[in-house]
Amino acid sequence: MTRGGQDTTGDDPERRCIVTGDVQPKAGLVRFVVSPEGQVFPDLAGKLPGRGIWVTADRELIDKAVKKGLFSRAAKKPVQAPADLSEQVERGQAKRVVEYISLARKAGYAVAGFEKVKGWLADGKAKVLLQASDGSERGKGKLWTPEGGRWFGCLTASELGLAFGRDSVIHGALAAGGLSRRVVEEAAKLTGLRRKDGGTSAEKEL
């Protein structure tokens, strides 16, 4: 398992974090690229052209890379990394998690609401439990992490609501298959990027 909490198979391509120097699977890192103008941009989808610069999916490490000029060192030339780069990454990553959950819902692999989630858990259908970071701890404590599955609390109630087409959602669940694995990978990365206060919401970006 990577520092960000992702499961690894041993076959995942690996990259070196420019801050820690650790080599780990790409799933636990954020890719950055430098534009022709020398600007550093996050490449969350991993599709932008250019040589990738990798940092572990951790807000403090991204901030350190900016503060210490590590992007310039990695690029072997002067580059400009914005002071709010970690916020940009977090906001974009939260948007990705919301979008993937939404796609899973539309494909029939996700449900929301206490009773529906509880039913999926009881039937062994749920493989991932999603709960809002700002939801009632008492209410969330009545549900449990699926056996052999995962739990994530990195999204707010409003963000989960966006994923399920509602104003607010506290409890959600994903079945095995479909985009569930991708949601797990993206949510694990977001968990490492979020501050204790929940970080920067994706709500205004969607």
Side-chain angles (χ1 to χ4, degrees):
M1 182 175 287
T2 69
R3 179 171 177 167
Q6 291 87 351
D7 293 321
T8 60
T9 64
D11 298 325
D12 298 330
E14 295 183 326
R15 296 292 185 271
R16 184 182 300 275
C17 171
I18 65 169
V19 181
T20 66
D22 294 337
V23 175
Q24 60 175 300
K26 289 166 57 177
L29 298 109
V30 177
R31 184 179 190 263
F32 297 88
V33 295
V34 179
S35 72
E37 295 74 31
Q39 297 291 322
V40 176
F41 289 96
D43 179 23
L44 301 181
K47 295 181 179 180
L48 294 178
R51 176 177 174 271
I53 299 174
W54 301 83
V55 180
T56 301
D58 183 298
R59 190 184 184 94
E60 292 183 359
L61 294 180
I62 295 173
D63 287 338
K64 185 175 181 180
V66 173
K67 184 177 181 180
K68 300 289 187 181
L70 300 182
F71 286 105
S72 292
R73 182 186 300 176
K76 298 181 180 179
K77 64 180 181 179
V79 300
Q80 296 295 320
D84 67 342
L85 186 60
S86 64
E87 293 183 11
Q88 292 182 28
V89 173
E90 181 197 329
R91 188 163 54 244
Q93 189 64 30
K95 182 179 179 181
R96 285 175 65 80
V97 175
V98 169
E99 289 175 342
Y100 276 118
I101 294 173
S102 179
L103 289 172
R105 170 183 64 84
K106 293 174 182 177
Y109 286 93
V111 294
F114 182 87
E115 293 300 331
K116 287 185 178 180
V117 172
K118 184 178 180 180
W120 272 30
L121 288 168
D123 294 340
K125 186 175 181 179
K127 295 302 179 183
V128 181
L129 175 63
L130 304 165
Q131 294 185 303
S133 58
D134 52 350
S136 165
E137 293 302 322
R138 184 165 179 260
K140 292 191 292 184
K142 295 180 180 179
L143 298 177
W144 59 95
T145 301
E147 183 176 355
R150 300 292 294 273
W151 171 87
F152 290 104
C154 54
L155 294 176
T156 65
S158 294
E159 289 170 334
L160 272 179
L162 284 172
F164 286 98
R166 304 180 185 181
D167 290 334
S168 177
V169 166
I170 304 299
H171 313 284
L174 300 175
L179 291 168
S180 295
R181 176 180 171 82
R182 194 58 185 267
V183 173
V184 168
E185 292 177 351
E186 301 292 347
K189 192 175 293 188
L190 179 61
T191 298
L193 294 165
R194 290 237 136 148
R195 289 175 172 172
K196 292 182 180 180
D197 64 2
T200 305
S201 174
E203 183 176 0
K204 296 182 179 179
E205 296 295 311
L206 296 173

